[in-house]
Amino acid sequence: MTRPVVATRPAVAAGRARRKIPHSPWLYVAPALILLVTFTYVPVGNMIWYSFHKWDGLDVTMDPVGLDNYVRVFTDEQYWRVFLISLYYFVASFAQIAIALYFAVVLSFNVRFKNLFKGILFFPYLLNGVAVGFVFLYLFQPDGTLDTLLRVAGLGEHTHLWLGDPDIANISLAGTSVWRFTGLNFVLFLGAIQSIPGEIYEAAEIDGANRWHQFRHIIVPGIRRIISLSFILAISGSLSVFEIPFIMTGGANGTRTFVVQAYQTAFQFRQIGLASAMAVVLLLIVLLITWVQRRVLPDEEVTLS
Amino acid sequence: MINRRTFLGLGTVAALALTAGCTGGASDDTASTGDFSGDIKGAITVLTNRTDLVGTTLPEYAKKFEAKYPGTKVTFQGVTNYDDDVTTQLGSGDYGDVLMVPNPVAIDQYSQFFEPLGTQDELKAKYRFLSPATYQGKVYALSVGGVAKGFVINKRIWAKAGITAPPKTPEEFLAGLQAVAAKTDAVPYYTNYKDGWPLAEWNTHRAILGDPGINDKFPADAEPWQPGKIQYIEDSLLFDIVHDKLSEKDPLTTNWESSKPMIATGKVATMLLGSWAVPQMQAAAKDAGADPADIAFWPFPYQTGGKFHANIDGDKLAAVSKNSKNKATAKAWLDFFVNESGFATDQQAIPPAVDQALPQSLRDFTATGVELVETPAATSNAGKEDEIIKESEIDLKGPIYRQKMVDVARGAAKGDKDSFFADLNQRWNKAQAKVMK
């Protein structure tokens, strides 16, 4: 009996509310927008503004210098050469993706101690980057853990100054980076693989497909988007490597990456303008790579049926 | 689309507003002293880098001060990552009443942040170490204690190698290190490459030339890495030590904390540091069960006029904030802290007041015939050297280019001494021409 009454009330209330605040949706998005503008667009705007100035981050006056900072980043060998160091990390990221993919595939089938292995593989990613740096610093010391292990295994002649030898230092650091980030790729791949319906494997098995066929024709196409995402992350990640070389070598011995160089320019040499220009260049490069990658690998829907 | 454009616009507007705020004009500084009039009363805040003393020694000094000036209250704020954090804080305008001057602040910026304490002519009769805080004749900060520069050595190891008196030339010094390498198991010299800052100690020996005008001449020189010039003498010695394999095997894995027991127990023979390191090494020796008397302090191996000269300089500078609301009390605290608190003596540092005596470890040092020299800061070329450093990114006061030099010297990077110094000369020259115009 009371139904009509109850039904009309909310309608009236809603109508009144709408008249009071005509753009109520804005009220709900406002906190997010304020945060976005304050912590993303304003700092980026500031950074771009600094990049056209000569400023030490402290002085009350900033001298406008036009494009000078950008010209310097592109023409002075000291600044663009450090990009070459990123190649080590980029090459290493292929190993990282391959290892992660291999274990993700193996552990998505029924294996004994499956969850234990998942935990072991993901564990390094949970460690703090600074801790990882220190752990590996001791590992790579002369007569440190790695050298001792090699000797025990009878490979004593293969010991090196892992960080002191300039031919190997970057490889050691890239190896540390692989150790740390494989877990992240692994979890991404594992999640994607598990979203593939189980019946497809069953049908494939009935058709006589072996594990390799299943991997080649079901898993790879099924997780294509995640694999391509991993490559974007790998490229932008290897361009912006920072904490591992910064903590382990401080950029010395030819391990200075672009971001370490930018950090030193900004905070050791107090050239905030120049460092901002470097950061803007890095941002543009990452945007460009992402755009090219989207062009080459269009983001189409994945269909397995 | 419209939304996105609006946000970008907002961002830019806000950025402009912020920078406009930052670029507000500096007030003029014509008076030679700040205005410290008013009663010595009320509360002040002191920023300090000595977090280890903030709960113990410093409040004791404050208690004495509060007894001397009733009605005052001194609060300390310890900052762990002092230079970086306080430099950032300076921009906000709120940085305590009395503070240590953070290193990144350039001398020509002191007037923007600190109150002038007087002219150098007035104050130099009373205090040491004024020059690094003096700009255009005005003094902006006082040192809280000074150190001498030289080699910390393990006397026992050097004696084992047959050397008991400080070597007089770089060649003699290298020969000494060779003898240490040949006759003992010790690493002759430890660079502390990984931590970096100990490499910067190689920049602090300009006094060895006995030339009071050196800091003015330095930025005027287009090519400081020429044989016979100070930069060449200092860097060349480090290069030769590493090149002759007289330093640790893997410099990339050095560790400052563990280097203290190493020199204390004789695993390392020599390190280039300041006299402040002597008490720390002696403490390490005590902890490791070695003899603290093994640790000694030697001058840089270079003589001018048949005499050693060792640089002394003020370690940290303390200043009164320009934005302090209670400048009278702040100034009173600064004077008290520097002159009467006993801080320098407690820290075994050279007291900033001229009429106070040297600590014991430095009296031993001068007894060997070393003259302590305070090298006056540049006057006509004040601030130019810092500008050239920034422009050329050759960090004379830091570790970056010296790490590279060590890499070249040990064969881990391309080049040799000549090519490396030639490259430094060329980069310095380019920046120098721009700055000095």
Side-chain angles (χ1 to χ4, degrees), chain A residues 144-223:
Chain A
T145 321
L146 186 56
D147 286 359
T148 316
L149 280 178
L150 284 173
R151 270 191 211 110
V152 169
L155 296 166
E157 73 272 21
H158 292 293
T159 57
H160 290 279
L161 294 180
W162 296 104
L163 295 173
D165 184 337
D167 301 328
I168 300 172
N170 277 311
I171 298 171
S172 304
L173 294 177
T176 309
S177 162
V178 168
W179 184 85
R180 179 157 183 233
F181 290 106
T182 299
L184 177 67
N185 284 117
F186 166 75
V187 169
L188 288 177
F189 290 146
L190 195 71
I193 290 172
Q194 283 176 348
S195 70
I196 299 171
E199 306 90 66
I200 296 179
Y201 296 113
E202 282 169 30
E205 256 165 52
I206 291 167
D207 287 345
N210 62 20
R211 284 279 189 250
W212 168 250
H213 290 139
Q214 289 178 14
F215 173 71
R216 172 78 187 72
H217 297 288
I218 299 172
I219 295 177
V220 172
I223 64 169

Side-chain angles (χ1 to χ4, degrees), chain B residues 63 69 89 101 135 401 410:
Chain B
K63 226 175 272 167
Y69 300 104
Q89 210 179 333
V101 177
Y135 187 65
Y401 92 90
R410 69 197 174 94

Side-chain angles (χ1 to χ4, degrees), chain A residues 60-81:
Chain A
V60 286
T61 52
M62 297 192 337
D63 307 326
V65 291
L67 286 170
D68 268 17
N69 289 329
Y70 290 95
V71 170
R72 200 162 160 191
V73 171
F74 285 113
T75 55
D76 195 334
E77 191 191 336
Q78 199 189 341
Y79 300 107
W80 58 258
R81 257 191 87 89

Side-chain angles (χ1 to χ4, degrees), chain A residues 54-305:
Chain A
K54 185 179 163 65
W55 187 46
D56 69 351
L58 196 59
D59 220 284
V60 286
T61 52
M62 297 192 337
D63 307 326
V65 291
L67 286 170
D68 268 17
N69 289 329
Y70 290 95
V71 170
R72 200 162 160 191
V73 171
F74 285 113
T75 55
D76 195 334
E77 191 191 336
Q78 199 189 341
Y79 300 107
W80 58 258
R81 257 191 87 89
V82 282
F83 271 121
L84 300 179
I85 302 300
S86 297
L87 289 177
Y88 285 94
Y89 295 90
F90 183 59
V91 171
S93 67
F94 282 91
Q96 181 180 318
I97 289 171
I99 296 168
L101 193 55
Y102 174 79
F103 282 109
V105 171
V106 169
L107 292 180
S108 63
F109 296 110
N110 274 328
V111 193
R112 202 177 295 180
F113 302 125
K114 195 162 122 178
N115 285 328
L116 175 70
F117 285 119
K118 280 185 198 168
I120 290 173
L121 280 163
F122 188 58
F123 170 69
Y125 184 68
L126 296 174
L127 280 183
N128 178 297
V130 178
V132 172
F134 279 114
V135 168
F136 275 82
L137 207 52
Y138 284 101
L139 184 94
F140 287 136
Q141 256 176 7
D143 303 320
T145 321
L146 186 56
D147 286 359
T148 316
L149 280 178
L150 284 173
R151 270 191 211 110
V152 169
L155 296 166
E157 73 272 21
H158 292 293
T159 57
H160 290 279
L161 294 180
W162 296 104
L163 295 173
D165 184 337
D167 301 328
I168 300 172
N170 277 311
I171 298 171
S172 304
L173 294 177
T176 309
S177 162
V178 168
W179 184 85
R180 179 157 183 233
F181 290 106
T182 299
L184 177 67
N185 284 117
F186 166 75
V187 169
L188 288 177
F189 290 146
L190 195 71
I193 290 172
Q194 283 176 348
S195 70
I196 299 171
E199 306 90 66
I200 296 179
Y201 296 113
E202 282 169 30
E205 256 165 52
I206 291 167
D207 287 345
N210 62 20
R211 284 279 189 250
W212 168 250
H213 290 139
Q214 289 178 14
F215 173 71
R216 172 78 187 72
H217 297 288
I218 299 172
I219 295 177
V220 172
I223 64 169
R224 247 182 77 180
R225 292 170 76 178
I226 298 294
I227 295 178
S228 82
L229 173 76
S230 293
F231 276 103
I232 304 179
L233 290 178
I235 294 171
S236 62
S238 52
L239 284 171
S240 54
V241 178
F242 177 68
E243 49 192 23
I244 286 174
F246 186 74
I247 291 159
M248 292 179 63
T249 65
N253 202 21
T255 60
R256 185 165 299 129
T257 62
F258 190 74
V259 185
V260 173
Q261 174 74 54
Y263 171 86
Q264 287 177 343
T265 302
F267 299 107
Q268 241 122 25
F269 297 103
R270 311 283 323 166
Q271 304 206 70
I272 304 285
L274 184 57
S276 298
M278 292 176 81
V280 172
V281 168
L282 183 64
L283 177 70
L284 292 179
I285 291 174
V286 170
L287 286 178
L288 182 75
I289 290 170
T290 315
W291 180 77
V292 168
Q293 196 275 343
R294 303 300 277 181
R295 275 298 154 103
V296 176
L297 282 173
D299 185 14
E300 66 212 14
E301 278 303 310
V302 177
T303 44
L304 281 170
S305 46

Side-chain angles (χ1 to χ4, degrees), chain B residues 408-425:
Chain B
V408 172
R410 69 197 174 94
K414 262 186 236 128
D416 55 22
K417 191 157 139 185
D418 291 340
S419 68
F420 187 69
F421 282 11
D423 177 55
L424 286 173
N425 272 331

Side-chain angles (χ1 to χ4, degrees), chain B residues 154-374:
Chain B
N154 188 309
K155 218 160 48 178
R156 185 169 55 84
I157 301 296
W158 276 83
K160 231 195 226 174
I163 297 144
T164 48
K168 293 190 178 68
T169 62
E171 293 74 31
E172 233 177 84
F173 188 77
L174 285 170
L177 291 176
Q178 295 278 16
V180 170
K183 293 182 192 159
T184 71
D185 297 331
V187 173
Y189 185 82
Y190 196 76
T191 61
N192 260 316
Y193 174 105
K194 163 68 177 54
D195 289 283
W197 60 264
L199 287 173
E201 293 285 340
W202 286 91
N203 186 48
T204 55
H205 295 276
R206 291 192 185 161
I208 57 176
L209 298 181
D211 177 1
I214 182 72
N215 283 331
D216 248 331
K217 288 179 195 161
F218 195 87
D221 189 347
E223 295 191 328
W225 284 272
Q226 295 275 359
K229 289 181 182 168
I230 181 66
Q231 203 59 42
Y232 184 90
I233 296 168
E234 290 171 325
D235 283 345
S236 181
L237 181 57
L238 174 60
F239 191 100
D240 291 341
I241 290 173
V242 178
H243 186 256
D244 296 350
K245 308 221 175 313
L246 298 169
S247 56
E248 71 276 11
K249 194 169 135 210
D250 186 2
L252 266 294
T253 47
T254 63
N255 181 324
W256 162 247
E257 283 305 328
S258 64
S259 77
K260 293 189 217 172
M262 281 164 83
I263 195 168
T265 55
K267 288 200 185 86
V268 165
T270 323
M271 288 193 237
L272 185 69
L273 292 166
S275 58
W276 54 266
V278 173
Q280 291 194 22
M281 302 306 181
Q282 284 171 341
K286 223 175 276 168
D287 292 344
D291 184 4
D294 284 348
I295 306 294
F297 196 61
W298 277 359
F300 196 89
Y302 193 91
Q303 290 193 327
T304 304
K307 211 167 178 193
F308 285 116
H309 297 79
N311 246 94
I312 52 169
D313 62 43
D315 196 19
K316 270 278 177 196
L317 300 164
V320 174
S321 158
K322 206 171 180 82
N323 295 329
S324 168
K325 298 258 182 327
N326 193 352
K327 283 178 193 154
T329 315
K331 174 75 169 27
W333 165 257
L334 182 62
D335 286 342
F336 170 85
F337 187 71
V338 167
N339 292 307
E340 295 168 47
S341 70
F343 177 76
T345 323
D346 293 350
Q347 300 297 316
Q348 294 199 43
I350 301 171
V354 176
D355 53 6
Q356 292 177 9
L358 288 178
Q360 183 59 42
S361 59
L362 284 169
R363 268 180 269 163
D364 296 345
F365 184 58
T366 49
T368 61
V370 185
E371 191 182 332
L372 301 182
V373 184
E374 198 188 323

